[in-house]
Amino acid sequence: MTAGELRNKHHLMLKCLPGTDLIPKSISSEYLTPSLDEIKAKRSQLSRAGEEDDRDSVAADGSFQCSTIDDILVLDDDTRGQRPAGLAALLSSKYVAESRDAYSDALRRGDTNGAVQALETKLRQLNKISQHDAGVAGLAARIEVLGNLERPDEARALLDDLNDAIERRTLKRPTPIVLPGRTLTTEPISKPLRERQDTLYEEDYKNAHLMLDAATWSQDWELAAKEAQRLQLDGAIFEDYSRRGPEQRFERARSLLNVGLQYEHRGYAATDDIHFQHLGEALTVYYRGCEETEIHHTYLEFPEARLTSHDHIDCSNLFFSATRICVHFHCRKYRTLPVDFPCIPPLAELDWARQALYFLERGKARALLRSIERYSEAAAPEQKKITFVELAREVRLASARERKYSHKISQSDPANPPTLPEDVVMERLRIRLAWRHTMLAAKSLATGRVSRWWEAGLDEILEAVPDDTAILEFGLVQGKNPGILTFLITSSGANTQWKAMRTTPILEKITKLKDLVESIAAIPLEGRAGRLGTQIPEITGYLAQELLSPFVPELRDKPKLFVVPSGALAHVPWALLLQYLGLPISRPSLSLIPSLRIWYGLHQLSQRTAAARQGVQPPPATIICNSPLHPDGSDRDIKFSRIEALYIARKHGTWPIQADRTSRETFEHRCQQSTIIHLSSHGYFNEESPMQSNVDLFQESLTPLDLSRLAITARFVVFSSCLSAYSRVFDSGTALSFAHALLGSGACAFVGTLWDTGDIASLIFMVLFYKAMMVDGRTPGGALADAQFCMKNFTEADKNNVADDLLSVFIHEAVKPGGISTLHQYVINYRYWIDSKLRMYPVSDLRAHWSWAGFVLIGYGESAAY
């Protein structure tokens, strides 16, 4: 089935599914690859007043001159009473939605100061609007912003005002009018009774949940528990919610978080007798939210989507919260095992540590995992077709039986149409999931294929961890119960901890580190170290202490380390942190991997490809750079990037592709025949639309969106470009970047940089990096560690050795007939740049952190490239 057929049949498919009113609106069938602007527009619909802020209006906002509050609501004593409160409420809803978007986007960019500033700005605007009596919407908006700013005391002071405003609004309902022959009504006579009841229900429902949300933002747990009990959210919420529209999917997740949080708070404050009882209730609520998110992802979200429900902050917090409870059970040695825990569906892991890891992994990088599945060598095209076609047929049959059953009951009692219990709907969907997996397994056995790695159980994944490997998996939890979840996974098992803390300082340190590195470009070489002083070591020490120090004993004898980051932790220079700890292993191999399950899949693939590798010749490689001159004849900058490309290409027995003189089709053809791809050029990261970030190659720059559409056969990709490894990150572990686009297209490992890196420093780093792989036989992860260690301890002799190596390669080509003219197609006057510039470059700058610590490997770095 093509993408177009899939899109056309999507709505018909949804009609066959029971309970499909919970479809996440942020993943619509309108587009398979949503832009961030579209996601922001959808997310803005979560405003308290239910304002519709669609993506058309968001896109058009930039074309109009911005107005101030005073332009719209002039504070005039003579006209104050004539100003409609509805306008102030509308602006309050708009500003809180904008603050939520600006705050989230700034955090994902690593701009903590910008996030706080956005909240402070909107709070000032909301306070100004409150002078015009914004009512319920304005008070709720101010409470949420104060909660985000971690000022719960000020938010708590507004709760009474909010409650009074809700009561006043309720009292202002029109007085019921009884007409002859009519029932009691406050609505136009033409509306049916059921519709009038639904209108009243929706208003009460919205007010109650608004009060519950405000109580949790204010950390008033007594009021939160009271509101939850009043709404019976621990049970009836599921049936009630089914009557609401599909656009409320994420509001549903937030409601479950609020309910679970008040149970969790009771549990921590209770005595041992009922401590575990309350925490168990919290786990049940969180687990239900996880199950709903999983079912929607499996049945209703398109495989091509780059963002899923798991990536929404409220949904990811459901998985984090369930993980947190399990970690607490593990640490407190809860006697009831997961398999004996009373919940539907039942838990399956053997102990609470593994159950915690199960929840954390289940929410990790799901869109990328699905993309890798499509390109996995273990997947067959006919299996992919069976997945959707057979599923659709089974759902249609089940839905027809359901309608037939409901029709019989409704005939017997027309006044009370039946409603399926929520547990029944969930269990039927789970049965269909199990049926689908069984069907695929049967097909796999029938055709003699091995089982698919992405369906492996947690036990199988943990058993595959080698003795020399450690995997650190993080969950950076933000919101109403912030902290850090950490798992250390080795061949001995999984060690876990939960640290409740404000995550803002960590985000600030990561942002400051990047800002410091970017600031050195404006500082002369000789003054850089003095200007920055000890700021970088101090930040490194703080991050190492918070993130790694509890696990130092286990890391001492592990030469291979994989880090599964969460959110802004993907932008941490982990090599710096490891060197700060002073581990006995001076240069451990280090890779960043999106999830533990993706590590397992790439690990399995590397085991198979290692057995098939043969020969000693360098594998097919494609090296890409620009020509030395612009079309108008002027010189291009970053001369050493072309020296780098020429050197690496000749080491592989080929010549670089000059992108500005080569068609995109030729590049794509070469990429499908290569094992290694190396690009040397300028790189730019697009904060607003990361899939439109680019490297300055070809007539139209190359973007992650372009790469995601290719079927890459190269197992190893290097982008020697500034910010090529930087990304738009989500707490779930999903990221939008070059690296993740390539991993989703078939690559196993990607090397790039988190920062702007100097031209000469990049050249030297890449020479050392490829030497470690091609001469010393190191894996990409090990070669990266070797190159970083060498640059940290770089000497004048080392620099001259690199220069001599470059010259020997170029002189060897220059003495051939026509060799000089061939070299000039890539580098003009190479001797001048090597002897007069590279040899004269200060070694102290090459040893500095900003010259080497920003290089990272994303993916699986332990599969030999040569």
Side-chain angles (χ1 to χ4, degrees):
M1 182 180 295
T2 65
E5 293 171 335
L6 191 64
R7 185 184 297 108
N8 294 334
K9 295 186 179 182
H10 182 62
H11 291 292
L12 295 176
M13 171 69 180
L14 299 186
K15 292 178 181 179
C16 302
L17 287 167
T20 55
D21 52 346
L22 303 180
I23 305 166
K25 199 171 183 179
S26 66
I27 309 298
S28 168
S29 61
E30 298 289 327
Y31 49 90
L32 298 183
T33 307
S35 70
L36 288 177
D37 287 337
E38 291 168 328
I39 292 296
K40 288 166 61 179
K42 295 297 181 184
R43 191 170 64 241
S44 67
Q45 296 175 2
L46 295 176
S47 60
R48 297 288 190 270
E51 175 196 1
E52 288 294 334
D53 190 10
D54 59 25
R55 64 174 178 267
D56 294 332
S57 66
V58 171
D61 282 346
S63 61
F64 295 95
Q65 184 176 359
C66 294
S67 299
T68 66
I69 300 173
D70 292 331
D71 295 332
I72 302 170
L73 293 171
V74 181
L75 193 59
D76 187 346
D77 292 336
D78 297 333
T79 59
R80 185 192 300 268
Q82 301 174 12
R83 295 292 176 185
L87 180 57
L90 184 66
L91 288 174
S92 297
S93 301
K94 179 177 178 63
Y95 285 142
V96 74
E98 290 175 350
S99 71
R100 192 183 300 121
D101 291 343
Y103 177 71
S104 300
D105 291 340
L107 286 181
R108 286 167 184 158
R109 293 195 301 267
D111 184 6
T112 309
N113 294 331
V116 175
Q117 184 179 2
L119 293 175
E120 293 283 5
T121 300
K122 293 303 177 183
L123 182 60
R124 288 193 295 269
Q125 294 174 339
L126 290 168
N127 289 336
K128 201 168 188 178
I129 291 177
S130 67
Q131 301 175 54
H132 300 272
D133 187 20
V136 172
L139 289 166
R142 291 162 66 192
I143 288 172
E144 178 175 343
V145 175
L146 286 168
N148 271 316
L149 286 170
E150 300 182 13
R151 291 153 61 179
D153 293 338
E154 297 177 49
R156 203 174 299 122
L158 297 175
L159 284 177
D160 289 338
D161 294 338
L162 176 61
N163 188 48
D164 292 342
I166 291 175
E167 291 179 357
R168 286 196 303 270
R169 186 168 68 178
T170 304
L171 292 174
K172 288 181 181 180
R173 288 177 180 170
T175 303
I177 301 174
V178 180
L179 297 178
R182 300 286 186 178
T183 57
L184 186 68
T185 180
T186 61
E187 298 288 333
I189 305 303
S190 58
K191 287 193 175 183
L193 175 62
R194 179 60 181 270
E195 186 174 345
R196 296 196 299 272
Q197 292 173 343
D198 286 349
T199 301
L200 294 176
Y201 168 79
E202 286 292 339
E203 184 176 352
D204 291 339
Y205 187 92
K206 182 185 298 183
N207 289 340
H209 277 277
L210 189 148
M211 198 67 197
L212 173 62
D213 207 42
T216 53
W217 278 120
S218 307
Q219 298 182 18
D220 189 332
W221 305 115
E222 184 178 351
L223 177 60
K226 177 182 175 181
E227 291 295 327
Q229 291 173 358
R230 185 166 69 90
L231 291 173
Q232 299 181 339
L233 288 180
D234 53 345
I237 182 177
F238 299 109
E239 183 177 351
D240 292 342
Y241 186 82
S242 65
R243 295 169 60 183
R244 311 191 76 193
E247 68 277 3
Q248 305 299 326
R249 168 72 184 102
F250 297 128
E251 194 169 319
R252 157 73 158 175
R254 180 179 294 184
S255 296
L256 292 175
L257 281 173
N258 289 336
V259 176
L261 199 58
Q262 56 98 6
Y263 277 130
E264 193 173 351
H265 181 76
R266 279 191 216 160
Y268 294 142
T271 62
D272 290 340
D273 295 337
I274 56 175
H275 171 78
F276 289 114
Q277 177 183 343
H278 288 312
L279 291 180
E281 291 170 338
L283 178 58
T284 301
V285 174
Y286 294 145
Y287 185 27
R288 178 50 48 87
C290 296
E291 283 297 299
E292 289 185 4
T293 302
E294 187 69 22
I295 286 175
H296 280 276
H297 172 69
T298 305
Y299 280 93
L300 307 176
E301 292 176 349
F302 286 107
E304 294 85 353
R306 291 183 177 85
L307 297 176
T308 71
S309 294
H310 299 80
D311 301 318
H312 190 279
I313 187 170
D314 289 328
C315 293
S316 62
N317 276 341
L318 283 170
F319 288 92
F320 288 152
S321 299
T323 304
R324 181 172 62 244
I325 298 294
C326 294
V327 170
H328 184 81
F329 284 170
H330 169 71
C331 295
R332 293 291 295 270
K333 298 183 172 21
Y334 185 31
R335 291 190 299 271
T336 301
L337 295 176
V339 292
D340 300 322
F341 184 79
C343 64
I344 297 176
L347 303 178
E349 298 303 326
L350 298 178
D351 57 61
W352 287 110
R354 293 195 178 194
Q355 190 64 56
L357 181 58
Y358 169 83
F359 279 122
L360 184 62
E361 263 297 300
R362 206 173 179 195
K364 280 278 188 176
R366 295 300 297 275
L368 179 59
L369 176 62
R370 182 177 279 182
S371 182
I372 293 176
E373 291 173 14
R374 293 200 301 272
Y375 289 97
S376 173
E377 294 179 354
E382 54 268 29
Q383 285 181 300
K384 298 177 187 176
K385 294 178 183 177
I386 289 170
T387 302
F388 202 86
V389 174
E390 295 292 342
L391 170 63
R393 183 170 62 188
E394 173 65 12
V395 171
R396 282 195 294 270
L397 290 174
S399 182
R401 290 193 296 267
E402 232 167 65
R403 288 195 298 270
K404 184 177 179 181
Y405 173 74
S406 299
H407 179 66
K408 289 181 179 180
I409 297 182
S410 62
Q411 284 183 333
S412 61
D413 188 5
N416 297 299
T419 15
L420 285 174
E422 183 262 347
D423 283 343
V424 173
V425 173
M426 294 284 290
E427 189 59 26
R428 289 185 181 184
L429 290 175
R430 284 187 57 80
I431 290 172
R432 290 171 202 162
L433 277 174
W435 174 88
R436 186 188 69 168
H437 291 311
T438 302
M439 186 71 180
L440 287 172
K443 289 287 182 181
S444 181
L445 290 173
T447 54
R449 297 186 183 93
V450 297
S451 61
R452 304 181 302 176
W453 57 262
W454 54 86
E455 294 179 345
L458 189 57
D459 285 341
E460 185 178 348
I461 295 175
L462 295 178
E463 289 173 1
V465 178
D467 293 336
D468 61 351
T469 299
I471 303 173
L472 269 172
E473 180 160 2
F474 291 92
L476 186 66
V477 186
Q478 302 182 66
K480 299 175 183 177
N481 197 357
I484 297 180
L485 289 160
T486 313
F487 285 81
L488 177 64
I489 303 160
T490 64
S491 57
S492 302
N495 182 16
T496 179
Q497 80 164 18
W498 157 251
K499 185 176 183 179
M501 62 177 293
R502 293 178 62 242
T503 56
T504 304
I506 289 180
L507 300 176
E508 289 175 344
K509 295 295 184 184
I510 296 172
T511 302
K512 185 177 180 181
L513 184 59
K514 182 173 181 290
D515 292 342
L516 285 173
V517 172
E518 291 179 348
S519 70
I520 66 169
I523 304 175
L525 291 176
E526 61 276 5
R528 290 179 176 178
R531 182 77 64 86
L532 296 182
T534 60
Q535 294 182 76
I536 291 180
E538 288 173 357
I539 293 174
T540 300
Y542 171 82
L543 293 175
Q545 187 68 28
E546 294 292 340
L547 300 175
L548 295 178
S549 59
F551 303 100
V552 168
E554 293 90 341
L555 295 177
R556 288 187 179 278
D557 62 342
K558 302 298 181 185
K560 299 175 183 177
L561 176 63
F562 291 85
V563 175
V564 182
S566 170
L569 299 184
H571 299 153
V572 171
W574 293 96
L576 266 182
L577 273 59
L578 290 174
Q579 293 196 6
Y580 175 86
L581 295 176
L583 298 175
I585 300 174
S586 59
R587 53 185 88 178
S589 172
L590 175 65
S591 304
L592 302 183
I593 195 78
S595 74
L596 177 63
R597 188 169 295 275
I598 291 176
W599 170 86
Y600 175 72
L602 297 179
H603 176 72
Q604 294 292 99
L605 179 62
S606 71
Q607 300 297 310
R608 295 198 299 270
T609 55
R613 189 180 296 111
Q614 53 184 346
V616 295
Q617 293 298 321
T622 296
I623 318 298
I624 307 157
C625 66
N626 282 315
S627 59
L629 300 176
H630 288 288
D632 61 2
S634 59
D635 284 347
R636 294 184 189 271
D637 57 358
I638 56 171
K639 316 286 186 181
F640 290 95
S641 71
R642 288 182 291 281
I643 294 177
E644 169 193 311
L646 182 58
Y647 171 83
I648 294 171
R650 295 315 300 150
K651 284 292 185 178
H652 289 84
T654 186
W655 293 92
I657 293 177
Q658 292 184 329
D660 54 329
R661 300 176 181 177
T662 305
S663 67
R664 184 74 66 84
E665 291 74 17
T666 301
F667 162 71
E668 294 177 359
H669 178 70
R670 288 284 296 270
C671 285
Q672 292 172 0
Q673 296 179 333
S674 302
T675 303
I676 295 172
I677 299 175
H678 181 105
L679 281 73
S680 297
S681 71
H682 277 302
Y684 307 93
F685 181 74
N686 189 324
E687 296 279 0
E688 294 300 322
S689 184
M691 294 304 286
Q692 296 299 327
S693 302
N694 63 83
V695 287
D696 189 15
L697 294 170
F698 305 101
Q699 295 180 356
E700 294 182 2
S701 297
L702 194 65
T703 69
L705 192 59
D706 299 328
L707 295 172
S708 67
R709 294 166 176 162
L710 301 178
I712 301 293
T713 58
R715 294 302 175 194
F716 180 54
V717 181
V718 179
F719 275 24
S720 183
S721 307
C722 295
L723 298 172
S724 54
Y726 200 75
S727 58
R728 172 68 64 87
V729 293
F730 298 82
D731 295 341
S732 62
T734 292
L736 301 177
S737 68
F738 282 110
H740 296 79
L742 287 162
L743 290 178
S745 299
C748 286
F750 172 92
V751 171
T753 178
L754 297 170
W755 306 329
D756 292 335
T757 308
D759 196 17
I760 292 179
S762 295
L763 165 65
I764 293 177
F765 186 91
M766 288 299 164
V767 170
L768 298 173
F769 175 61
Y770 277 94
K771 177 179 178 294
M773 287 192 295
M774 301 181 73
V775 178
D776 301 335
R778 296 278 277 165
T779 63
L784 191 78
D786 283 358
Q788 290 175 323
F789 181 83
C790 290
M791 288 199 70
K792 180 187 175 184
N793 302 282
F794 213 58
T795 64
E796 285 288 343
D798 294 330
K799 184 179 65 174
N800 288 326
N801 288 338
V802 170
D804 292 341
D805 189 14
L806 292 169
L807 284 176
S808 67
V809 171
F810 295 162
I811 291 172
H812 178 73
E813 299 297 335
V815 298
K816 297 179 181 178
I820 294 292
S821 60
T822 301
L823 292 177
H824 281 183
Q825 294 179 23
Y826 303 96
V827 182
I828 299 174
N829 198 356
Y830 65 87
R831 278 187 176 274
Y832 167 78
W833 295 107
I834 295 174
D835 287 333
S836 300
K837 295 297 181 180
L838 190 153
R839 290 188 192 274
M840 297 296 106
Y841 198 84
V843 173
S844 59
D845 193 71
L846 297 174
R847 285 197 295 259
H849 303 118
W850 50 80
S851 292
W852 53 268
F855 288 96
V856 295
L857 187 149
I858 302 173
Y860 189 84
E862 296 308 316
S863 179
Y866 297 90

